[in-house]
Amino acid sequence: MKALLNVENISKSFGKLNANKNITFNVATGEILAILGENGAGKTTLMNIIFGHYLADKGTIKFNNNELKPGDPKAAISAGIGMVHQHFTLAENLTVLENTLVGTQSLYHPNLTKRKSIDKLNYLAREFGLELDPKQLVRNLSVGEKQRIEILKTLFSDCKLLILDEPTASLTPQEVTTLFTSIRKMVTNGVSVIIISHKLNEILEISDRIVVLRSGAVVGEVKTKNADKTQLGEMIVGHKINRPNRGKNVIGETKIKLCSISVKSDNGTSILDKVTLEARGGEIIGIAGVAGNGQKVLAETMSGHVTPAFGTIYINGKNLTGKYPEDFMRSGVAYIPEDRNLDGTIGDMSIWENVILSETKNTKIFQKNGILNRINSHNLAHAVCQNNDVRYQSIQQPARLLSGGNIQKLLIGRWLIRKPNVIIACQPSRGLDEGAISTVHKTLLSERKKSTAIILISEDLDELLLLSDKILVLYNGKLSETIENRNVNINQLGLKMAGEGF
Amino acid sequence: MRLEAREQTPAWLPWIAIISSSLATLIFAAVLIIVAGASPIEGFYELFRGAFGSKNSIAETGATATPLIFTGLAAAVAFRARFWNIGAEGQLYIGALATTFFGTGLIQFAPFIMIPFLFLMGFIFGALALLPLVLLRQYLKVDEVVTTLLMNFVIILLVSYLLEGPWKDPYSLGWPQAAPIVDSGVLPQIIPRTRLHLGFAIAVSIAIVIWYVQTKTLFGFSTRAVGFNPSAAKHSGISVTKTMIGVAILSGGIAGLAGVSETAGLKGYLTLDLSPGFGYTGIAVAMLGNLHPIGVIFSAMFIAVIYVGADAMSRAIEVPTYLADVIVASTILTVLVSLVLIKYRIIFKGKF
């Protein structure tokens, strides 16, 4: 087969970090190539170089045997490369059609082409199974539909190579199936596809060939039909993967109870609708669901940051409805927020200051009259880092220099000082490397052993199935009934995540 | 060319940055003095002689620095928490109004009670002037840059009304000024027969207290946390609103102290030209001092040296006094650039 894209010896470093090291591979016409690797392996950097967002330090990219002008997304687009980013770049207040036209046509183009554009859009949508109403406002669409626009946009500008960055990250299993059907249709029409992912199963299902990246370098390349799952997994991580075992647990008393909680947004729409939930000591309750169905508000309600419009919350049997986050903390609630850099830690403060951030009521740290005890603070910081395997050079270094995994371990370790009764963990392993994920999982399981109630909110079904005792699905602010982990049927769960039965 | 964040800043770098930015300013000022038709060497000599040449000139420099230390601290304390109080000018006048209200005969104590009493009143009323604005920000998301800035004009018009009307001193021969502060409330001079008064010592002590509070206490810690990342502070159980209110009380109060110090120390009575923009210059002082309370003392001194010295220089070698403003402005620019370079390094490679 003729090579459409040749990537030759691409290297790129950010400061001391070598994000890409001498990467070479090619994509043939009509081929689906998967770039597999864990977070931080350099997948997205590589794609951004191909697309011209970043300038490589070294190496060349040839498209159709012509060298692509480096560092120029326009050159990439006009050559026929389209990219769908993990985080969409759509204007929410414009229609599907308008979003397609933005950037694909000259800004000063007279309006005459609108009719023609609608026809072309409808044709493409039908041809590739990406049905959408061109006049619909983007803000009313689901995540899956928004992704379709992004794909349509690239097809609209006659793309020959489509790059999809973690396309299934926030889709339901059913949406993934639809997406894959569309991808197959594109390939039969002569479009090549690069799909970036860290999800093994999906890659094995859709791709023709797999390139594995680890720490910025290509560590392997296999034809998918010859690929072996465990072997691939080890190739990604560099060593054997040890999944922790859940083990037996002793169920204790009810630690957190939500009774018919409703939360409304500023404009009156319902974010949480009569949510009832209970977690007992030694239990991990998994909350499944596609992002944006009320997960963050649910977590913030359970930690006192959001006051519900209706309903009551009990922590350890005490009614804390309408109380402040400080009161929830005092009752033993620990909240590990989804965005650990924005809500969890302060990058510009040192590691030890981040450790004592939630210890402002601790009289060993802030003695009477609020005087800071530096020695105790430093000792505490050392202890937290050691107990939770945080890798650091000095506790004086700013937290922003820590990797995502170490930040998360620091954040969790900080909460464990307080010996929590309830842990609310939001996407605790998102964006972490395997090593950190396994530490986080082990920590949660050991807390479960200590009879802590844990609410695990995650989009990652594998994680939920691995850790949770019971699983509920959150859809559009409503919770499904409780399903025991051993009775879970993935297909059913997927249908629920897509809103069936709500 | 691009900027790349430094992972670690070497300890010597800030010093090199301060020295090189001062050098850059001096070179720039020298060019301007040459353009004005004088010798830069003679100009700088006159500038430093004007600021340090005699007991009187040193005292004058200290007296000029005094209100700038106060307003610089007011800005530095607020900016640390990312609370943009541009209203130190107004809060200064509120402090001056409080001094005039309590200090012109309403109450009389012995000096050792009267002076602390006036400072306390200045602090309280300065703080009260800022308090509603921080509440507006925290509860109704009203931008504090707008409210604090506009409040300056409201307050200055109020002062103008009082001085032209009810508070006008009948013995002032028609000038819009208030009655003089009673003798027991006037701040004593530090160097006899100069304009350097107790206010300077108080300003320096307040700076040291603020430094202590910021580095050693829960309030200082919360302030930094809230300033860097309010959301993370909130999620760790620190009340952002309470911290912000504390910051506003401190910032407004310290600005109020500037008004007390100027009214009861330098002038002896309130006039409309009490402050030639000390509140605004305080922002520059805070920036120049890198929002550090001790840094504020030095940057206020530096700006006072430039103002007092440039005044003397302009008289001695006949260059415009405006050079002082230009030198201060260019210092701020070079220091801000050097602060960026402390955090980032420039990479001269690749495309622009």
Side-chain angles (χ1 to χ4, degrees), chain B residues 163-198:
Chain B
L163 292 185
E164 299 279 1
W167 285 17
K168 189 172 180 174
D169 184 10
Y171 303 107
S172 71
L173 306 172
W175 292 102
Q177 64 184 48
I181 303 300
V182 291
D183 287 347
S184 60
V186 171
L187 307 183
Q189 289 154 352
I190 293 177
I191 304 176
R193 285 183 301 284
T194 63
R195 303 211 301 160
L196 187 66
H197 54 85
L198 187 66

Coordinates of all heavy atoms in Angstrom, one line a residue, chain B residues 163-198:
Chain B
L163 N -14.8 70.7 53.1 CA -13.8 71.7 53.2 C -14.3 73.1 52.7 O -13.9 74.1 53.2 CB -12.5 71.4 52.5 CG -11.7 70.2 53.2 CD1 -10.4 70.0 52.5 CD2 -11.5 70.4 54.6
E164 N -15.2 73.0 51.8 CA -15.8 74.3 51.3 C -17.0 74.7 52.1 O -17.4 75.9 52.1 CB -16.3 74.1 49.8 CG -15.2 73.8 48.8 CD -14.4 75.0 48.4 OE1 -14.7 76.1 48.9 OE2 -13.5 74.8 47.5
G165 N -17.6 73.7 52.9 CA -18.8 74.0 53.6 C -18.6 73.8 55.1 O -17.9 74.5 55.8
P166 N -19.3 72.8 55.6 CA -19.4 72.7 57.1 C -18.1 72.6 57.9 O -18.0 73.1 59.0 CB -20.2 71.4 57.3 CG -20.2 70.7 56.0 CD -20.0 71.7 55.0
W167 N -17.0 72.0 57.3 CA -15.8 71.9 58.1 C -14.8 73.0 57.8 O -13.7 72.9 58.3 CB -15.2 70.5 57.7 CG -15.9 69.3 58.4 CD1 -17.1 69.3 58.9 CD2 -15.4 68.0 58.6 NE1 -17.5 68.1 59.3 CE2 -16.4 67.3 59.2 CE3 -14.1 67.4 58.3 CZ2 -16.2 65.9 59.5 CZ3 -14.0 66.1 58.6 CH2 -15.0 65.3 59.2
K168 N -15.2 74.0 57.0 CA -14.2 75.0 56.7 C -13.8 75.8 57.9 O -14.6 76.2 58.7 CB -14.9 75.9 55.7 CG -13.9 76.9 55.0 CD -14.7 77.6 53.9 CE -13.8 78.6 53.2 NZ -14.5 79.2 52.1
D169 N -12.5 75.9 58.0 CA -11.9 76.6 59.2 C -12.2 78.1 59.0 O -11.7 78.7 58.1 CB -10.4 76.4 59.2 CG -9.8 77.0 60.5 OD1 -10.6 77.5 61.3 OD2 -8.6 77.0 60.6
P170 N -12.9 78.7 60.0 CA -13.2 80.2 59.9 C -12.0 81.0 59.9 O -12.0 82.2 59.4 CB -14.1 80.4 61.1 CG -14.0 79.3 62.0 CD -13.5 78.1 61.1
Y171 N -10.9 80.5 60.4 CA -9.7 81.3 60.5 C -8.7 81.1 59.3 O -7.6 81.5 59.3 CB -8.9 81.0 61.8 CG -9.7 81.2 63.0 CD1 -10.2 80.1 63.8 CD2 -10.0 82.5 63.5 CE1 -11.0 80.3 64.9 CE2 -10.8 82.7 64.6 CZ -11.3 81.6 65.3 OH -12.1 81.7 66.4
S172 N -9.2 80.4 58.3 CA -8.3 80.0 57.2 C -8.3 81.1 56.1 O -7.7 80.8 55.0 CB -8.8 78.7 56.6 OG -10.0 78.9 55.9
L173 N -8.8 82.2 56.3 CA -8.8 83.3 55.4 C -9.4 82.9 54.0 O -8.9 83.3 53.0 CB -7.3 83.8 55.2 CG -6.6 84.2 56.4 CD1 -5.1 84.5 56.1 CD2 -7.2 85.4 57.1
G174 N -10.4 82.1 54.1 CA -11.1 81.7 52.9 C -10.6 80.5 52.1 O -11.2 80.1 51.2
W175 N -9.4 80.0 52.6 CA -8.9 78.8 51.9 C -9.8 77.6 52.3 O -10.2 77.5 53.5 CB -7.5 78.5 52.3 CG -6.5 79.6 51.8 CD1 -6.0 80.6 52.5 CD2 -6.0 79.6 50.4 NE1 -5.2 81.3 51.6 CE2 -5.2 80.8 50.4 CE3 -6.2 78.9 49.3 CZ2 -4.5 81.2 49.2 CZ3 -5.6 79.3 48.1 CH2 -4.8 80.4 48.1
P176 N -10.0 76.7 51.4 CA -10.7 75.5 51.7 C -9.8 74.5 52.5 O -9.2 73.6 52.0 CB -11.1 74.8 50.4 CG -10.1 75.3 49.4 CD -9.6 76.7 49.9
Q177 N -9.8 74.8 53.8 CA -9.0 73.8 54.7 C -9.8 73.7 56.0 O -10.5 74.6 56.4 CB -7.6 74.3 54.9 CG -7.5 75.6 55.6 CD -6.0 76.1 55.7 OE1 -5.3 76.0 54.7 NE2 -5.6 76.5 56.9
A178 N -9.5 72.5 56.7 CA -10.2 72.3 58.0 C -9.4 72.9 59.1 O -8.3 73.3 58.9 CB -10.4 70.8 58.2
A179 N -10.0 72.9 60.3 CA -9.4 73.4 61.5 C -8.1 72.6 61.8 O -8.1 71.4 61.4 CB -10.3 73.3 62.7
P180 N -7.1 73.2 62.4 CA -5.9 72.4 62.7 C -6.1 71.3 63.7 O -7.0 71.4 64.6 CB -4.9 73.5 63.2 CG -5.8 74.6 63.6 CD -7.0 74.6 62.8
I181 N -5.3 70.3 63.7 CA -5.3 69.2 64.6 C -4.8 69.7 66.0 O -3.9 70.5 66.0 CB -4.4 68.1 64.2 CG1 -4.7 67.6 62.8 CG2 -4.4 66.9 65.2 CD1 -6.1 67.0 62.7
V182 N -5.5 69.3 67.1 CA -5.1 69.8 68.4 C -3.7 69.4 68.7 O -3.2 68.4 68.2 CB -6.1 69.3 69.5 CG1 -7.4 69.9 69.3 CG2 -6.1 67.8 69.5
D183 N -3.0 70.2 69.5 CA -1.6 70.0 69.8 C -1.3 68.5 70.2 O -0.3 67.9 69.8 CB -1.1 71.0 70.8 CG -1.0 72.4 70.2 OD1 -1.0 72.4 68.9 OD2 -0.8 73.3 70.9
S184 N -2.2 68.0 71.1 CA -1.9 66.7 71.6 C -2.0 65.6 70.6 O -1.5 64.5 70.8 CB -2.9 66.4 72.8 OG -4.2 66.4 72.2
G185 N -2.6 65.9 69.4 CA -2.7 64.9 68.4 C -1.7 65.0 67.3 O -1.5 64.2 66.4
V186 N -0.9 66.1 67.3 CA 0.1 66.3 66.3 C 1.3 65.3 66.5 O 1.8 65.2 67.6 CB 0.6 67.8 66.3 CG1 1.8 67.9 65.3 CG2 -0.5 68.7 65.8
L187 N 1.8 64.7 65.4 CA 2.9 63.7 65.5 C 4.2 64.5 65.8 O 4.5 65.4 65.0 CB 3.0 62.9 64.3 CG 1.7 62.2 63.8 CD1 2.0 61.3 62.6 CD2 1.1 61.3 64.9
P188 N 5.0 64.0 66.7 CA 6.3 64.7 67.0 C 7.3 64.4 65.8 O 7.1 63.5 65.1 CB 6.7 64.1 68.3 CG 6.0 62.8 68.4 CD 4.7 63.0 67.7
Q189 N 8.2 65.4 65.7 CA 9.2 65.2 64.7 C 10.3 64.2 65.2 O 10.6 64.2 66.4 CB 9.9 66.5 64.4 CG 9.0 67.5 63.7 CD 9.3 68.9 63.9 OE1 10.2 69.3 64.7 NE2 8.7 69.8 63.2
I190 N 10.8 63.4 64.2 CA 11.9 62.5 64.6 C 13.2 63.2 64.6 O 14.0 63.1 65.5 CB 11.9 61.3 63.6 CG1 10.6 60.5 63.7 CG2 13.1 60.4 63.8 CD1 10.5 59.3 62.7
I191 N 13.4 64.0 63.6 CA 14.6 64.9 63.5 C 14.1 66.3 63.7 O 13.3 66.8 62.9 CB 15.4 64.8 62.2 CG1 15.8 63.3 61.9 CG2 16.6 65.7 62.2 CD1 16.4 63.1 60.6
P192 N 14.5 67.0 64.8 CA 13.9 68.3 65.2 C 14.1 69.3 64.0 O 15.1 69.3 63.3 CB 14.7 68.7 66.4 CG 15.3 67.5 67.0 CD 15.5 66.5 65.8
R193 N 13.1 70.1 63.9 CA 13.1 71.2 62.9 C 13.3 70.7 61.4 O 13.9 71.3 60.6 CB 14.2 72.3 63.1 CG 13.8 73.2 64.3 CD 14.8 74.2 64.5 NE 16.2 73.7 64.8 CZ 16.5 73.2 66.0 NH1 15.6 73.1 67.0 NH2 17.7 72.8 66.2
T194 N 12.7 69.5 61.2 CA 12.6 69.0 59.8 C 11.1 68.5 59.6 O 10.4 68.6 60.6 CB 13.5 67.8 59.5 OG1 13.1 66.7 60.3 CG2 15.0 68.2 59.7
R195 N 10.8 68.0 58.5 CA 9.5 67.6 58.3 C 9.3 66.0 58.5 O 8.3 65.5 58.3 CB 9.0 67.9 56.8 CG 9.1 69.4 56.5 CD 8.0 69.8 55.6 NE 8.1 69.1 54.3 CZ 7.1 69.0 53.5 NH1 5.9 69.6 53.7 NH2 7.2 68.4 52.3
L196 N 10.4 65.4 59.0 CA 10.3 64.0 59.2 C 9.7 63.7 60.6 O 10.2 64.2 61.6 CB 11.7 63.3 59.2 CG 11.8 61.8 59.3 CD1 11.1 61.2 58.1 CD2 13.2 61.3 59.5
H197 N 8.5 63.1 60.6 CA 7.7 62.9 61.8 C 7.6 61.5 62.2 O 8.0 60.6 61.4 CB 6.4 63.6 61.6 CG 5.6 63.2 60.4 ND1 4.9 62.1 60.4 CD2 5.6 63.7 59.2 CE1 4.4 61.9 59.2 NE2 4.8 62.8 58.4
L198 N 6.9 61.2 63.3 CA 6.6 59.9 63.8 C 6.0 59.0 62.8 O 6.2 57.7 62.9 CB 5.8 60.0 65.1 CG 5.6 58.8 65.9 CD1 6.9 58.3 66.5 CD2 4.5 59.0 67.0

